[in-house]
């Protein structure tokens, strides 16, 4: 919020999506609508809902989902309305019993010291919030007054339980914990273990862990069935790989999660040129786990469009060992470097493995040639003959 007002520069504010401050910013061109935004919100608008009464069948969830101004308004009005309602009941009891008539102070009233609606309202507040100033009390003269006293106490307890529970659930919602679960701004595609892989980085800013953390990924694109049916949001699950194996991760330090692009992958025919004009591709990443401190299940989401996937790049290392422990440099969380990568699809790479062999040979010779040039520049007066090396 401070960065939006211009008080703190944006490069000093760590957001949900870690990004490089030195990266040049260009004007974003018009792109397709995202299904899931970068901060995890679903970009879906529900319209023309005719059965609005279904929301009232689950009042508690509806109250929790409301915005804070609406919740606080309902919280205040629920107490005020109940106080006013029972104040009217106490005033009617006093009026029916004749306690409001002047000059009749010898009879025992139903409620002592009630002479007007204001005094009845104050007594209603004292009963419901159990203040008990001692000036007003119910006598045994009217059994109806005793019954109303019991009913108001029960109603007050129900209102307290519902509204305080609603406030607690809003302050302890699961998506609050997801604000400190961050994803890299860009995803990358590079060679790992001899295969093209789709990679992203995920991290947790808090020291309290996410227990039983799992991560999964989906590809959302517009497809057309053989029968001609257009599916605007076709979702396909694709497996994710990590060093532990499976979808479970131990999120103590930032991890690079990758997906091997094989014959079963929907990215099998994705080429580098498709990333610049492939507007129907969106990859959604979902991280789920249990918050260690509260035991509440949380979920963090993000997505990557085609132009947010970098081909031929790899994430830089950010974990180093210092003073007997591991330290993480989050300033380089989203930084990448270029690496030799075939400019072809995974299908073409599987059909012609010589592309990978030629790439490996080129990358292996590259540093040697640069080093020899550097030696020649630094020591021009000396030369080494091939025979002297034998």
């Amino acid at each position: 919020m401070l960065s939006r007002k211009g008080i703190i520069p944006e490069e000093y504010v760590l957001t949900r999506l870690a990004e490089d401050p030195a990266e040049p910013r260009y004007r974003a061109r018009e792109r397709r609508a995202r299904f899931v935004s970068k901060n995890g919100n679903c970009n879906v608008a529900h319209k023309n809902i005719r059965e609005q009464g279904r929301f009232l069948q689950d009042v508690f969830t509806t109250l929790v989902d409301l915005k804070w101004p609406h919740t606080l308004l309902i919280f205040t009005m629920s107490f005020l309305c109940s106080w006013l309602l029972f104040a009217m009941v106490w005033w009617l009891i006093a009026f029916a019993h004749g306690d409001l008539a002047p000059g009749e102070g010898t009879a025992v009233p139903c409620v002592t010291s009630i002479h007007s609606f204001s005094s009845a309202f104050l007594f209603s507040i004292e009963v419901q919030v159990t203040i008990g100033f001692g000036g007003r009390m119910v006598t045994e003269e009217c059994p109806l007054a005793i019954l109303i006293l019991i009913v108001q106490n029960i109603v007050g307890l129900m209102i307290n339980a519902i509204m305080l529970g609603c406030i607690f659930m809003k302050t302890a919602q699961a998506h609050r914990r997801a604000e400190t679960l961050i994803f890299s701004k860009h995803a990358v595609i590079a060679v790992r273990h001899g295969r093209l892989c789709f990679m992203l980085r995920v991290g947790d800013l808090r020291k309290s862990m996410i227990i039983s953390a799992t991560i999964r990924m989906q590809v959302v694109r517009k497809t057309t069935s053989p029968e001609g049916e257009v599916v605007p949001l076709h979702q396909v699950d694709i497996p994710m790989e990590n060093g532990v194996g499976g979808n479970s991760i131990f999120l103590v330090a930032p991890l690079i999660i990758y997906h091997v692009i094989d014959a079963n992958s929907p990215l099998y025919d994705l080429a580098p040129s498709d990333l610049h004009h492939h507007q129907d591709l969106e990859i959604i990443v979902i991280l789920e786990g249990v918050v260690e401190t509260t035991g509440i299940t949380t979920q963090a989401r993000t997505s990557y469009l085609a132009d947010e996937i970098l081909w031929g790049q790899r994430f830089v290392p950010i974990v180093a060992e210092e003073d007997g422990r591991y330290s993480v440099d989050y300033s380089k969380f989203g930084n990448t470097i270029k690496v030799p990568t075939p400019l072809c699809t995974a299908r073409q790479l599987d059909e012609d493995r010589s592309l990978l062999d030629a790439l490996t040979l080129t990358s292996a010779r590259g540093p040697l040639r640069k080093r020899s040039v550097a030696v020649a520049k630094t020591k021009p007066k000396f030369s080494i003959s091939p025979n002297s090396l034998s």
Side-chain angles (χ1 to χ4, degrees):
M1 183 179 296
L2 295 178
S3 62
R4 295 177 182 175
K5 296 181 179 180
I7 300 176
I8 299 179
E10 293 186 359
E11 56 266 22
Y12 296 103
V13 179
L14 185 61
T15 58
R16 281 285 309 279
L17 301 171
E19 50 185 277
D20 186 10
E23 181 182 353
R25 298 184 177 181
Y26 303 95
R27 181 178 299 177
R29 67 176 185 272
E30 186 178 357
R31 58 175 66 177
R32 65 179 287 266
R34 310 181 76 108
F35 185 54
V36 176
S37 61
K38 297 295 287 185
N39 59 3
N41 295 328
C42 296
N43 189 23
V44 179
H46 300 277
K47 297 182 178 179
N48 300 326
I49 300 178
R50 297 181 180 180
E51 299 181 2
Q52 298 287 344
R54 291 181 176 269
F55 295 98
L56 298 179
Q57 296 178 3
D58 188 6
V59 180
F60 186 78
T61 304
T62 303
L63 292 176
V64 174
D65 290 340
L66 290 177
K67 296 182 179 180
W68 272 107
H70 298 160
T71 302
L72 294 178
L73 178 62
I74 294 176
F75 180 84
T76 305
M77 293 304 298
S78 61
F79 285 102
L80 287 178
C81 291
S82 62
W83 294 339
L84 289 173
L85 175 62
F86 282 99
M88 180 63 68
V89 173
W90 291 118
W91 184 84
L92 290 176
I93 291 176
F95 178 79
H97 192 258
D99 298 339
L100 302 179
E104 296 183 4
T106 56
V108 178
C110 294
V111 181
T112 60
S113 302
I114 289 185
H115 307 291
S116 62
F117 182 79
S118 298
S119 57
F121 180 73
L122 291 175
F123 179 71
S124 176
I125 297 176
E126 293 176 14
V127 170
Q128 189 161 330
V129 301
T130 63
I131 295 178
F133 292 116
R136 302 175 182 87
M137 63 179 180
V138 178
T139 63
E140 59 185 9
E141 182 70 19
C142 302
L144 180 61
I146 300 175
L147 178 62
I148 297 300
L149 178 66
I150 297 174
V151 172
Q152 185 174 4
N153 277 280
I154 295 175
V155 172
L157 291 175
M158 293 178 61
I159 294 177
N160 288 335
I162 294 175
M163 298 311 302
L164 294 180
C166 177
I167 296 297
F168 172 77
M169 290 302 298
K170 285 187 69 66
T171 54
Q173 280 184 329
H175 65 83
R176 303 296 181 185
R177 179 62 176 88
E179 295 294 334
T180 52
L181 298 174
I182 59 176
F183 301 89
S184 56
K185 181 180 179 181
H186 294 91
V188 298
I189 294 179
V191 177
R192 173 178 280 194
H193 304 302
R195 306 295 297 271
L196 281 177
C197 297
F198 173 88
M199 293 177 283
L200 61 100
R201 177 174 276 165
V202 59
D204 187 5
L205 301 180
R206 291 187 180 273
K207 292 184 178 181
S208 59
M209 295 177 54
I210 299 295
I211 304 174
S212 302
T214 59
I215 192 166
R216 55 193 177 94
M217 187 172 68
Q218 291 183 343
V219 173
V220 179
R221 58 174 37 161
K222 182 179 180 181
T223 59
T224 303
S225 65
E227 294 79 15
E229 180 185 3
V230 178
V231 182
L233 296 174
H234 181 62
Q235 303 180 22
V236 180
D237 288 330
I238 57 178
M240 299 291 292
E241 301 291 340
N242 58 77
V244 181
N247 291 339
S248 299
I249 59 176
F250 187 52
L251 196 59
V252 178
L255 298 177
I256 296 178
I257 311 298
Y258 68 95
H259 158 67
V260 179
I261 305 177
D262 52 12
N264 298 323
S265 173
L267 308 178
Y268 196 52
D269 295 320
L270 183 66
S273 58
D274 298 334
L275 299 180
H276 300 285
H277 55 78
H278 204 309
Q279 298 297 325
D280 291 333
L281 177 65
E282 182 177 358
I283 300 177
I284 300 174
V285 183
I286 303 173
L287 172 63
E288 293 180 335
V290 179
V291 182
E292 184 181 24
T293 54
T294 61
I296 300 176
T297 303
T298 185
Q299 183 182 93
R301 301 178 294 267
T302 190
S303 68
Y304 299 96
L305 297 181
D307 56 354
E308 296 172 343
I309 302 174
L310 306 179
W311 191 284
Q313 298 200 28
R314 183 173 58 197
F315 291 105
V316 300
I318 61 174
V319 180
E321 186 176 356
E322 297 179 358
D323 300 331
R325 63 178 182 178
Y326 293 96
S327 62
V328 181
D329 186 5
Y330 280 99
S331 64
K332 302 178 181 179
F333 185 84
N335 292 4
T336 59
I337 57 174
K338 292 184 179 181
V339 293
T341 306
L343 299 178
C344 62
T345 64
R347 181 188 297 274
Q348 295 172 348
L349 184 61
D350 290 343
E351 295 175 354
D352 188 5
R353 300 298 297 180
S354 62
L355 297 174
L356 184 60
D357 298 336
L359 184 68
T360 305
L361 182 60
T362 303
S363 60
R365 290 179 177 177
L368 295 178
R369 289 198 299 268
K370 292 180 180 179
R371 181 175 298 178
S372 63
V373 173
V375 171
K377 289 183 179 180
T378 55
K379 298 182 179 181
K381 295 181 180 181
F382 298 93
S383 61
I384 301 174
S385 61
N387 296 329
S388 64
L389 300 177
S390 59

